[in-house]
Amino acid sequence: MATIFEKIIKRELPSHIHYEDEEVICIDDKYPQAPIHFLVITKKVIPSIHELESSDYYLLGKIFDVIKSMTVKLGIEDSYRVLTNHGSQAGQTVPHLHFHVLGGGKLGAKGIK
Ligand code: 5GP
């Protein structure tokens, strides 16, 4: 079954898209946990960081490039948090690799969830 993020990538669900290329898409989180909360999502369906293979490692560079440029674009480059969840106990709800980026204000110590 397609994940929510696959549906967003295929435009079957709406989202606010900040950036997109052949490998990743960057959207606002629908339920933000900080004044700025966006997601950088791989277009390749990888369930989580735990399933990343060495052939996918180039995606990590791409993801962190996009994170850096998006934080500058949104004016939070001085202070932000990046996190990714693996498994339901860690708070993962969508089994499709994505990185949360939170900023724009004082963040709690524990992150989101
Ligand atoms: P996870 O819980 O897997 O680490 O992160 C999934 C994130 O996707 C959550 O922060 C949740 O708010 C977000 N989310 C869930 N459904 C949607 C949706 O339909 N659109 C967008 N933009 N974000 C969503």
Side-chain angles (χ1 to χ4, degrees):
M1 200 170 82
T3 66
I4 287 168
F5 296 156
E6 283 177 273
K7 291 178 183 169
I8 286 172
I9 291 164
K10 290 180 186 162
R11 309 297 199 269
E12 292 169 7
L13 282 178
S15 68
H16 180 89
I17 299 172
H18 286 289
Y19 174 82
E20 181 175 25
D21 63 26
E22 288 176 5
E23 284 140 354
V24 301
I25 188 168
C26 174
I27 62 170
D28 275 335
D29 197 291
K30 189 174 179 180
Y31 306 103
Q33 305 290 315
I36 291 177
H37 182 180
F38 63 86
L39 305 170
V40 181
I41 303 164
T42 56
K43 288 196 171 174
K44 179 176 178 184
V45 184
I46 301 167
S48 80
I49 42 165
H50 198 72
E51 288 78 25
L52 268 174
E53 296 179 356
S54 53
S55 57
D56 298 319
Y57 287 173
Y58 72 99
L59 284 171
L60 292 172
K62 166 57 72 82
I63 287 164
F64 282 90
D65 271 353
V66 172
I67 287 172
K68 184 174 175 178
S69 60
M70 281 304 311
T71 59
V72 171
K73 189 173 169 187
L74 296 174
I76 60 165
E77 69 272 24
D78 286 347
S79 190
Y80 59 88
R81 177 176 296 155
V82 178
L83 68 85
T84 188
N85 295 315
H86 164 63
S88 57
Q89 294 286 88
Q92 186 177 17
T93 56
V94 181
H96 183 150
L97 183 63
H98 56 283
F99 287 74
H100 299 257
V101 182
L102 301 111
K106 180 83 176 160
L107 302 177
K110 291 189 175 175
I112 64 167
K113 310 277 164 81

